[in-house]
């Protein structure tokens, strides 16, 4: 093993020890995340105990349970409990080995060799081997797979079985976030023999994760039971879990407040003050990876002019959006979209504390629109924060002479008629980074030709920087390139960053040892338990 390979393996194993180091480590991780916590102290932690049913509340149904077919965040928080991945992410989104016992990276960064844990079993009793790993990734990479996250597997040239517990990935290009990609729920390892026999994972998922899937009742609940043969001995601590689906957000709040459910990381911002005041609940706030933006259609005049887009960006009062649409539970984005807690943060102060009317008007005049123009903003009515920010943005634009009509449409019609065909003047959306690598914050939204780039923005120069940043071999080199990319993105203003919404988490004070993840994922629930 070369020194570089040894360093990589040591780094990975260090992270694994850090993550699994018990309650003292849990308390340290909470401190390192900068989490604001009520009703939680390291001294209050009891020893882990078996038993109980965790009941968690969510607002949306999943869109599937098969890793290759589950595109939504709600699908992923199910998939991550049922399946396992080669790597996992700790609470601060750093990768460490999960199914892999160790890994080696070649000096040129184009080969990764994973040594698998021995004795890992799927929920049906089949042993997990290198053949299952190869099958899982070949399945994702197939041309007709329909996988929504092809950018994560596009540089994989081949996956080869070395022996029963060793698998080698060969890449076409150096891929900086490759290990992080290996921790994504879509990269979950599925049982080859079972899938080839015709079993439908979308109907009944079977993996090697901490919980076994029991049942799913649409618009009601998803039920799990403890995997007695999970490879992390003693875990999970809960006997079972239930994901309750509660579309009405006020009803969701009431369920948490009453104790009908004992966990949610989807508390509505409007109800946060009342939830924090509930003496039976521990509450946690965390700046995560969900950022909101306004999308001007870059192909429509006058929005095709970068000066017009910059004017709109400068006119928006982000502090007013934080206060009015998020009840203070968001962070205004003043520069690039990668947040301050992430190593790719650029520390660019492009937008002011308030609306910059004079600068915006000057840019409109330079673009040939001294008296403004008329346009429209189409919002997805199914997302309350976006509906709440619409009149704020409308008033900000009116102050610089832009008359914007607000239209709205419910999902899924919005996806079909507005988003998919790019039939809008302006709209708004949010991006939830499922991996928290800098690449995941920017490539899907800014690179030309990506499915999420519905605003049709970008340039060859921006694409080149994004590719270079993804392929750079050191974190320092990647960080510098992402800084350049974010500055260029503000010059082009293909999308207009607004705010980063906070994770609002509440749970019973009996729940111990839970550490939130910045991605909003819930893998760390397997490490928590109920006291007495």
């Amino acid at each position: 093993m070369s020194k570089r390979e040894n360093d990589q393996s040591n780094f990975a194993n260090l992270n694994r020890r850090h993550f699994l180091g018990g309650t003292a480590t849990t308390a340290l991780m909470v401190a390192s995340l900068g989490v604001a916590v009520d009703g939680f102290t390291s001294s209050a932690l009891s020893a882990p105990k078996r038993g109980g049913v965790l009941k968690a509340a969510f607002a949306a149904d999943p869109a599937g349970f098969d890793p290759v077919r589950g595109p939504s965040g709600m699908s992923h928080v199910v998939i991550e409990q049922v399946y396992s991945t080669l790597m996992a992410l700790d609470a601060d989104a750093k990768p460490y080995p999960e199914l892999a016992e160790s890994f080696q990276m070649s000096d040129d960064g184009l080969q990764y060799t994973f040594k698998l844990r021995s004795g890992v079993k799927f929920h049906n009793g089949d042993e997990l081997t290198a053949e299952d790993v190869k099958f899982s990734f070949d399945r994702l990479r197939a041309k007709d797979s329909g996988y929504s996250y092809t950018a994560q597997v596009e540089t994989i040239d081949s996956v080869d079985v070395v022996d029963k517990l060793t698998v080698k990935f060969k890449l076409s290009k150096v891929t900086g976030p490759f290990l992080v990609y290996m921790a994504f729920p879509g990269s979950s390892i599925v049982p080859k023999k079972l899938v080839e026999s015709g079993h439908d994972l979308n109907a009944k998922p079977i993996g090697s994760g901490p919980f076994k899937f029991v049942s799913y009742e649409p618009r009601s609940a998803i039920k799990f039971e403890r995997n007695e043969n999970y490879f992390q001995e003693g875990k999970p601590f809960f006997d079972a879990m239930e994901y309750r689906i509660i579309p009405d957000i006020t009803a969701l709040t009431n369920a948490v407040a009453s104790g009908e459910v004992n966990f949610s990381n989807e508390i509505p911002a409007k109800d946060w003050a009342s939830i924090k005041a509930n003496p039976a609940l521990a509450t946690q706030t965390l700046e995560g990876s969900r950022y909101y933006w306004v999308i001007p259609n870059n192909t429509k005049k006058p929005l095709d002019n970068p000066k017009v887009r910059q004017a709109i960006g400068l006119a928006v009062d982000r502090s007013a959006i934080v206060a009015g649409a998020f009840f203070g539970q968001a962070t205004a984005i003043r520069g690039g979209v990668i947040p301050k807690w992430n190593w790719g943060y650029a520390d660019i102060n492009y937008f002011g504390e308030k609306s910059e009317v004079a600068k915006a008007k000057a840019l409109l005049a330079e673009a040939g629109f001294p008296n403004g123009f008329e346009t429209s903003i189409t919002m997805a009515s199914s997302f309350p924060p976006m509906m709440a920010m619409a009149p704020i943005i409308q008033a900000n634009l009116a102050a610089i002479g832009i008359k914007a009509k607000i239209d709205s449409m419910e999902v899924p019609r919005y996806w079909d008629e507005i988003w998919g065909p790019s039939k809008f003047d302006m709209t708004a959306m949010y991006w939830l980074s499922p991996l928290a690598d800098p690449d995941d914050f920017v490539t899907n939204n800014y690179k030309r030709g990506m499915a999420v780039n519905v605003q049709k923005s970008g340039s060859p120069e921006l694409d080149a920087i994004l590719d270079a940043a993804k392929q750079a071999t050191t974190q320092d080199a990647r960080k510098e390139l992402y800084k350049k990319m974010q500055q260029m993105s503000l010059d082009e203003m293909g999308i207009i960053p607004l705010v980063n919404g906070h994770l609002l988490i509440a749970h019973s004070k009996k729940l111990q040892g839970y550490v939130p993840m910045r991605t909003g994922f819930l893998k760390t629930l397997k490490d928590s338990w109920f006291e007495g």
Side-chain angles (χ1 to χ4, degrees):
M1 184 187 298
S2 71
K3 180 180 184 299
R4 181 174 183 181
E5 291 166 340
N6 188 57
D7 288 345
Q8 288 285 340
S9 184
N10 288 341
F11 167 79
N13 287 319
L14 175 63
N15 273 278
R16 176 168 170 253
R17 289 196 300 272
H18 172 72
F19 186 75
L20 299 176
T23 56
T25 302
T26 298
L28 287 171
M29 288 173 68
V30 170
S32 72
L33 283 167
V35 182
V37 182
D38 295 325
F40 176 97
T41 62
S42 58
S43 61
L45 286 176
S46 60
K49 295 180 181 179
R50 272 287 311 279
V53 179
L54 181 83
K55 298 176 182 179
F58 300 90
D61 273 280
F65 304 122
D66 186 335
V68 78
R69 294 173 59 189
S72 73
M74 189 59 205
S75 293
H76 294 152
V77 297
V78 174
I79 288 169
E80 67 177 346
Q81 303 296 351
V82 177
Y83 302 89
S84 303
T85 45
L86 290 174
M87 304 291 289
L89 299 181
D90 69 14
D92 218 5
K94 294 183 176 66
Y96 68 91
E98 186 178 56
L99 284 174
E101 193 171 70
S102 63
F103 68 89
Q104 299 174 3
M105 180 176 69
S106 62
D107 287 336
D108 62 7
L110 294 176
Q111 293 187 20
Y112 286 81
T113 303
F114 293 92
K115 184 69 176 178
L116 304 179
R117 295 173 181 265
S118 63
V120 176
K121 298 287 184 67
F122 288 109
H123 297 158
N124 68 339
D126 289 348
E127 184 178 4
L128 189 152
T129 71
E131 291 286 353
D132 299 296
V133 176
K134 174 178 171 56
F135 174 78
S136 298
F137 281 93
D138 286 350
R139 188 169 178 252
L140 295 179
R141 295 164 55 233
K143 289 183 179 180
D144 60 350
S145 72
Y147 188 48
S148 298
Y149 301 88
T150 53
Q152 295 180 15
V153 296
E154 65 182 355
T155 63
I156 298 175
D157 260 354
S158 67
V159 184
D160 302 314
V161 173
V162 178
D163 58 41
K164 181 179 177 181
L165 294 177
T166 309
V167 62
K168 180 179 289 186
F169 288 71
K170 295 179 182 178
L171 309 183
S172 59
K173 300 176 182 177
V174 173
T175 306
F178 177 74
L179 290 175
V180 178
Y181 290 163
M182 295 297 98
F184 183 58
S187 297
S188 294
I189 306 307
V190 302
K192 175 185 178 182
K193 181 179 176 182
L194 193 66
V195 175
E196 287 185 332
S197 74
H199 180 85
D200 184 1
L201 293 176
N202 219 42
K204 185 175 177 58
I206 292 177
S208 59
F211 290 94
K212 297 180 180 180
F213 175 87
V214 174
S215 64
Y216 166 50
E217 184 180 344
R219 298 176 296 283
S220 179
I222 307 163
K223 295 183 179 181
F224 311 84
E225 64 183 5
R226 183 177 188 269
N227 176 13
E228 298 285 349
N229 298 313
Y230 186 51
F231 54 80
Q232 287 188 13
E233 188 174 354
K235 296 183 180 180
F237 298 112
F238 304 121
D239 289 333
M241 286 202 310
E242 291 183 16
Y243 284 178
R244 298 282 184 85
I245 312 301
I246 309 175
D248 183 284
I249 58 174
T250 299
L252 186 152
T253 299
N254 292 339
V256 175
S258 68
E260 178 187 339
V261 298
N262 42 41
F263 177 91
S264 183
N265 65 352
E266 294 188 5
I267 303 298
K270 71 180 181 65
D271 299 327
W272 187 239
S274 66
I275 287 292
K276 278 177 65 70
N278 188 318
L281 297 174
T283 58
Q284 307 180 43
T285 60
L286 177 65
E287 183 181 10
S289 55
R290 184 188 303 246
Y291 69 86
Y292 292 75
W293 72 94
V294 167
I295 312 173
N297 192 324
N298 286 218
T299 67
K300 285 196 172 184
K301 294 184 178 298
L303 299 170
D304 62 337
N305 189 320
K307 289 185 177 180
V308 170
R309 300 194 297 265
Q310 288 173 344
I312 293 171
L314 291 169
V316 173
D317 187 339
R318 288 160 180 79
S319 296
I321 290 175
V322 169
F326 291 86
F327 298 83
Q329 301 303 320
T331 300
I333 299 175
R334 302 297 177 197
V337 297
I338 299 174
K340 191 172 184 177
W341 58 263
N342 189 281
W343 59 262
Y345 177 66
D347 196 18
I348 299 170
N349 291 308
Y350 187 96
F351 304 110
E353 293 293 323
K354 296 289 184 180
S355 178
E356 299 180 84
V357 173
K359 285 184 180 179
K361 283 185 172 180
L363 282 168
L364 280 182
E366 289 177 29
F369 299 92
N371 299 316
F373 56 89
E374 294 185 2
T375 188
S376 65
I377 308 175
T378 305
M379 294 291 192
S381 60
S382 304
F383 302 121
M386 282 180 273
M387 292 301 295
M389 69 174 67
I392 299 172
I393 297 170
Q394 182 186 49
N396 292 157
L397 297 184
I400 63 171
I402 298 176
K403 297 179 181 179
K405 176 188 174 185
I406 298 174
D407 297 317
S408 64
M409 190 178 295
E410 287 188 355
V411 169
R413 187 181 164 204
Y414 171 86
W415 299 125
D416 296 335
E417 298 183 19
I418 303 299
W419 180 268
S422 298
K423 289 187 177 179
F424 57 85
D425 293 334
M426 289 193 289
T427 187
M429 192 43 64
Y430 70 86
W431 177 255
L432 175 61
S433 171
L435 296 172
D437 185 271
D439 174 75
D440 195 54
F441 284 95
V442 292
T443 296
N444 282 287
N445 305 313
Y446 285 98
K447 191 173 182 180
R448 293 177 304 165
M450 303 302 282
V452 184
N453 189 342
V454 296
Q455 73 276 3
K456 311 297 183 185
S457 69
S459 64
E461 294 78 14
L462 193 62
D463 288 353
I465 290 181
L466 284 167
D467 287 342
K470 189 173 181 177
Q471 296 165 32
T473 56
T474 68
Q475 184 169 299
D476 286 345
R478 294 186 71 205
K479 179 179 175 69
E480 186 60 32
L481 287 164
Y482 283 120
K483 182 173 183 177
K484 290 180 180 178
M485 175 269 150
Q486 289 175 86
Q487 183 60 64
M488 184 178 291
S489 74
L490 294 166
D491 293 337
E492 293 186 5
M493 205 63 74
I495 69 175
I496 298 167
L498 298 176
V499 303
N500 191 11
H502 295 169
L503 282 166
L504 303 178
I505 305 159
H507 57 78
S508 165
K509 285 185 176 178
K510 291 184 178 181
L511 180 68
Q512 298 281 289
Y514 168 68
V515 179
M517 301 180 72
R518 290 197 185 274
T519 58
F521 282 165
L522 297 172
K523 191 88 171 200
T524 50
L525 283 175
K526 68 179 172 59
D527 306 308
S528 57
W529 64 93
F530 288 125
E531 66 179 4

